[in-house]
Amino acid sequence: MMIDLKWQLHKWRAITFIVLGRKSLAIETFEDMLADYPNDAYALGSLAHLYAETGDKLSSIGIYKKLVAKPDAPAFSWYNLGFLQEEMKQIADAEFSFRRALELNEKLDQAWYGLGLVLIQQQRFEEAIKALKRNTQLQPMSPYAWYQLARVHMDRQEPEETVKIIRHLKGFEPKFAAQLERETGLKVKAS
């Protein structure tokens, strides 16, 4: 396999700018790379990431949309797109992106969490609970989905379920448990 020297030069030039903290020059380099290599997945993904890092989320979303239009777009690209769409309050689009990521990789725990968040925002609590529970199965020691599950149960007037989650969190994330106790007014003894 022959290595494309021009492509490699673009790549290493951009990486050098990133290391030097010159993200705007790295962005220009990836844009030049795309001019020479339209639809290159590496350049698209890198450029989308840099746009997001520099706060240009709309441009990042636009680039991720080009990336996911490729038939071989990986699940994490769909997840990244959904993450940004959720941040920009494009809730229906974010739901679609998270679901597409999960079609490609049903074990992508971050996509289950993101899906749970957008379902909560749409007040589709039953579906949100299922998504968040799937996240906790894949990442049982991560407190974020547990926290969101507890909040959903409180919103649904199910304090007994919230108590179970607080008790569970006390075993490995006492700060999250304490935060939930403050927010909900529930006082729970560790088991």
Side-chain angles (χ1 to χ4, degrees):
M1 179 170 89
M2 191 170 141
I3 296 174
D4 187 328
L5 185 58
K6 188 175 183 180
W7 187 91
Q8 288 290 331
L9 288 172
H10 281 301
K11 176 183 176 181
W12 290 110
R13 183 171 179 239
I15 290 171
T16 300
F17 286 135
I18 292 168
V19 168
L20 295 174
R22 308 289 307 267
K23 291 180 182 174
S24 62
L25 291 173
I27 287 171
E28 287 178 27
T29 303
F30 282 121
E31 288 171 345
D32 291 344
M33 189 176 186
L34 284 170
D36 291 335
Y37 302 90
N39 294 315
D40 180 79
Y42 177 80
L44 288 168
S46 299
L47 185 58
H49 179 78
L50 282 169
Y51 277 140
E53 268 192 353
T54 58
D56 188 352
K57 293 177 184 172
L58 290 176
S59 292
S60 182
I61 288 171
I63 297 295
Y64 273 122
K65 284 181 178 180
K66 288 180 184 177
L67 183 56
V68 299
K70 297 171 68 62
D72 59 346
F76 67 84
S77 295
W78 281 100
Y79 163 76
N80 289 338
L81 174 59
F83 177 85
L84 289 165
Q85 290 169 324
E86 192 271 334
E87 277 195 344
M88 299 301 293
K89 306 298 182 209
Q90 299 172 4
I91 303 305
D93 291 339
E95 180 184 350
F96 178 85
S97 295
F98 289 135
R99 288 189 187 280
R100 183 67 182 117
L102 291 167
E103 286 174 15
L104 296 170
N105 180 358
E106 68 180 21
K107 292 185 178 181
L108 189 59
D109 59 282
Q110 304 100 316
W112 284 110
Y113 181 73
L115 179 60
L117 292 181
V118 298
L119 292 169
I120 289 169
Q121 291 176 59
Q122 297 174 69
Q123 298 185 349
R124 293 163 53 195
F125 298 124
E126 284 297 320
E127 292 174 82
I129 288 170
K130 289 177 186 174
L132 292 169
K133 282 186 176 180
R134 182 67 177 127
N135 175 269
T136 64
Q137 291 167 350
L138 295 167
Q139 283 292 335
M141 299 306 284
S142 175
Y144 301 102
W146 290 110
Y147 173 85
Q148 294 297 334
L149 266 174
R151 298 296 314 165
V152 168
H153 285 302
M154 279 305 288
D155 290 345
R156 290 172 45 119
Q157 308 298 315
E158 299 168 344
E160 65 284 347
E161 293 299 318
T162 305
V163 166
K164 289 177 189 175
I165 293 169
I166 292 171
R167 190 170 287 125
H168 177 72
L169 282 170
K170 284 186 180 230
F172 69 98
E173 283 289 348
K175 289 182 182 179
F176 274 79
Q179 181 177 341
L180 280 167
E181 285 179 319
R182 283 189 304 276
E183 291 175 2
T184 63
L186 299 171
K187 298 297 177 210
V188 180
K189 292 183 181 181
S191 55

